């Protein structure tokens, strides 16, 4: 089994062809006077391609996605990520660490406690709901109820599963029959509070405004996702909404104007931090806006192509503790991983089972 990769060697900057710029490019800090040290004599930290990393003092706020970023594929925190964030919280308590996720807050309780960020706000369902540190809603946006009903009807017609997210739970209102996967169980892996509402009056409660839908969650075979996106956009071309994806096989629909970049702007105003001093982490297309608004952005090795293309840096995968690797390189570059800073074999065996791996990644040495 391969050893755990060092923080300095596990990520690289993203290079684009000369003359091609990205609309999300954000200038980084001014280079130091010396190629080797800062004017004060401190060493300059660089990634494996030689690109300068931000100094710890450059970072005034940290935002991170959860699934596929903080969480491993088994929906658990990697020890390296957990320990790096707790170290920052202990040594730099004035640097906010805020989860900005497609998940519901009820699904983030254990993560919040494990990271020691109980005193921090959170943005959930891609920023549709923003909570303060006391878990009171500061801002929320929901979808038009008739649009919600019509999307569910369209999914039923095409034999696709539909999950409608209210604040604390989500309703399964259609279920794919004879599908390649049990999409109800897939949905529970991300947000466990799923209720089967196919034979109830739930949709009537939505239409009457008694249930506010913050997000529509549509899992399906990845091969049909492009056609379904095209169908939804053509069917509802006169309706304002936004389609995003955190994973290749899930279509998510939120209200127009909902975006993680808007959540970033909200938190910058709240904490009086300039966007250039924000570092963000993510792996999905839903993170692209946040990346564009951040001074520093870091895509996971397991990320989708779009976030990788626009990020300032790339780090290790979620199963390698990539967030922790990158933060350690900035905030404690001399740190050496302890013997427990890797996923244990029991955890990896469980991960293989959950992923339904035909060829075990554990046996192949794919995990640290």
């Amino acid at each position: 089994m391969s050893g755990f990769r060092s923080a300095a060697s596990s990520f690289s900057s993203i290079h684009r062809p000369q003359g091609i710029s990205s609309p999300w490019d954000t200038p980084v800090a001014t280079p130091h006077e010396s190629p080797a040290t800062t004017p004060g004599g401190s060493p300059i930290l660089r990634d494996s391609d030689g690109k300068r990393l931000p100094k710890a003092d450059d970072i005034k706020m940290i935002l991170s996605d959860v699934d596929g970023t903080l969480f491993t594929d088994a929906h658990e925190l990697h020890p390296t990520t957990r320990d790096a964030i707790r170290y920052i919280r202990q040594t730099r308590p004035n640097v906010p660490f805020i989860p900005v996720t497609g998940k519901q807050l009820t699904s983030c309780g254990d993560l919040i406690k494990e990271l020691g960020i109980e005193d921090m706000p959170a943005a959930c369902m891609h920023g549709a709901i923003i909570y303060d540190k006391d878990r009171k809603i500061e801002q929320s946006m929901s979808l038009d109820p008739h649009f919600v009903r019509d999307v569910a009807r369209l999914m039923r017609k095409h034999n696709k599963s539909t999950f409608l997210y209210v604040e604390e739970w989500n309703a399964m209102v259609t279920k794919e029959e004879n599908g390649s996967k049990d999409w109800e169980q897939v949905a529970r892996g991300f947000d466990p509070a799923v209720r089967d509402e196919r034979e109830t009056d739930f949709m009537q409660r939505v239409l009457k405004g008694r249930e506010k839908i913050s997000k529509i969650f549509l899992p399906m075979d990845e091969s049909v996702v492009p056609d379904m996106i095209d169908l939804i956009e053509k069917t509802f071309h006169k309706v304002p909404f936004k389609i995003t994806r955190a994973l290749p096989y899930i279509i998510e629909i939120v209200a127009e104007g909902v975006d993680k970049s808007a959540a970033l702007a909200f938190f910058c105003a709240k904490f009086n931090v300039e966007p250039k001093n924000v570092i963000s982490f993510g792996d999905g297309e839903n993170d692209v806006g946040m990346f564009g608004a951040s001074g520093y952005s870091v895509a996971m090795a397991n990320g989708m192509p779009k976030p990788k293309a626009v990020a300032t840096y790339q780090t290790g995968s979620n199963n390698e503790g990539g967030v922790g690797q990158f933060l350690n390189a900035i905030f404690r570059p001399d740190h050496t991983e302890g013997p427990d800073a890797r996923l244990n074999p029991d955890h990896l065996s469980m991960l293989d089972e959950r992923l339904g791996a035909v060829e075990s990644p554990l046996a192949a040495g794919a995990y640290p």
Side-chain angles (χ1 to χ4, degrees):
M1 188 180 300
S2 60
F4 199 90
R5 296 188 298 174
S6 69
S9 64
S10 58
F11 47 81
S12 60
S13 62
I14 301 299
H15 295 285
R16 301 184 180 88
Q18 188 173 2
I20 298 179
S21 61
S22 163
W24 297 283
D25 280 340
T26 303
V28 296
T30 304
H32 295 303
E33 297 174 355
S34 164
T37 64
T38 65
S42 301
I44 296 176
L45 301 175
R46 298 184 183 276
D47 73 357
S48 58
D49 286 339
K51 186 173 182 181
R52 179 191 181 275
L53 296 178
K55 296 184 297 181
D57 289 343
D58 293 335
I59 306 302
K60 305 299 182 184
M61 185 161 66
I62 305 169
L63 303 184
S64 183
D65 175 52
V66 176
D67 284 316
T69 302
L70 294 177
F71 274 168
T72 68
D73 290 342
H75 305 287
E76 297 177 356
L77 276 170
H78 192 285
T80 298
T81 295
R82 177 199 63 212
D83 295 347
I85 295 168
R86 290 189 69 90
Y87 172 81
I88 294 169
R89 293 294 298 145
Q90 292 166 3
T91 59
R92 295 176 181 263
N94 293 327
V95 175
F97 186 97
I98 304 172
V100 181
T101 175
K103 298 172 76 65
Q104 292 167 312
L105 184 64
T106 52
S107 302
C108 298
D110 290 343
L111 172 137
I112 288 171
K113 183 177 181 180
E114 196 169 352
L115 292 180
I117 55 173
E118 295 93 338
D119 60 337
M120 289 287 105
C124 296
M125 290 180 270
H126 310 300
I129 300 182
I130 294 178
Y131 296 90
D132 66 14
K133 65 182 181 62
D134 298 316
R135 308 302 171 234
K136 296 179 181 178
I137 295 176
E138 290 196 283
Q139 180 174 294
S140 66
M141 298 179 68
S142 58
L143 290 158
D144 176 82
H146 292 89
F147 168 70
V148 171
R149 176 199 59 192
D150 292 344
V151 170
R153 286 177 173 175
L154 184 66
M155 293 302 105
R156 181 183 295 111
K157 177 180 178 181
H158 291 272
N159 188 31
K160 295 291 178 284
S161 297
T162 308
F163 298 84
L164 306 180
Y165 277 56
V166 297
E167 183 192 353
E168 296 185 344
W169 56 280
N170 65 91
M172 182 177 66
V173 295
T174 69
K175 185 173 183 178
E176 181 176 346
E177 299 297 334
N178 301 315
S180 61
K181 294 183 180 180
D182 184 341
W183 295 114
E184 181 180 356
Q185 292 306 312
V186 170
R188 290 183 187 278
F190 296 104
D191 291 286
V194 176
R195 301 180 188 176
D196 188 346
E197 297 286 337
R198 288 176 292 173
E199 304 298 331
T200 72
D201 66 344
F202 178 80
M203 194 59 72
Q204 290 301 315
R205 301 202 304 271
V206 171
L207 293 173
K208 292 178 181 179
R210 291 163 54 191
E211 303 283 5
K212 301 290 186 182
I213 305 303
S214 299
K215 183 178 80 168
I216 302 175
F217 182 94
L218 307 172
M220 62 191 71
D221 290 335
E222 185 177 346
S223 61
V224 304
V225 165
D227 288 340
M228 291 306 300
I229 290 177
D230 187 58
L231 176 64
I232 293 168
E233 291 179 336
K234 287 182 178 178
T235 304
F236 303 106
H237 65 278
K238 294 183 179 180
V239 180
F241 65 92
K242 177 183 176 180
I243 288 179
T244 189
R245 289 194 299 167
L247 291 166
Y249 58 91
I250 298 171
I251 299 172
E252 297 183 79
I253 303 175
V254 292
E256 187 178 49
V258 171
D259 192 84
K260 291 187 178 184
S261 63
L264 182 147
F266 182 92
F267 293 130
C268 282
K270 184 180 184 70
F271 289 98
N272 194 27
V273 171
E274 294 187 46
K276 69 178 182 180
N277 296 119
V278 176
I279 188 169
S280 58
F281 294 85
D283 71 304
E285 291 178 359
N286 59 327
D287 298 309
V288 168
M290 179 172 69
F291 280 6
S294 307
Y296 309 96
S297 54
V298 186
M300 309 300 292
N302 55 285
M304 297 173 71
K306 285 186 179 180
K308 285 184 176 181
V310 304
T312 314
Y313 300 96
Q314 183 173 311
T315 187
S317 74
N318 59 328
N319 290 329
E320 297 170 315
V323 173
Q325 291 174 346
F326 200 91
L327 291 175
N328 279 338
I330 296 172
F331 290 95
R332 47 177 183 175
D334 297 326
H335 175 70
T336 301
E337 299 289 2
D340 63 341
R342 58 174 61 199
L343 299 178
N344 64 56
D346 289 340
H347 174 103
L348 295 174
S349 296
M350 177 182 63
L351 179 57
D352 283 342
E353 182 178 348
R354 290 188 185 182
L355 294 175
V358 177
E359 294 183 2
S360 167
L362 174 60
Y367 304 132

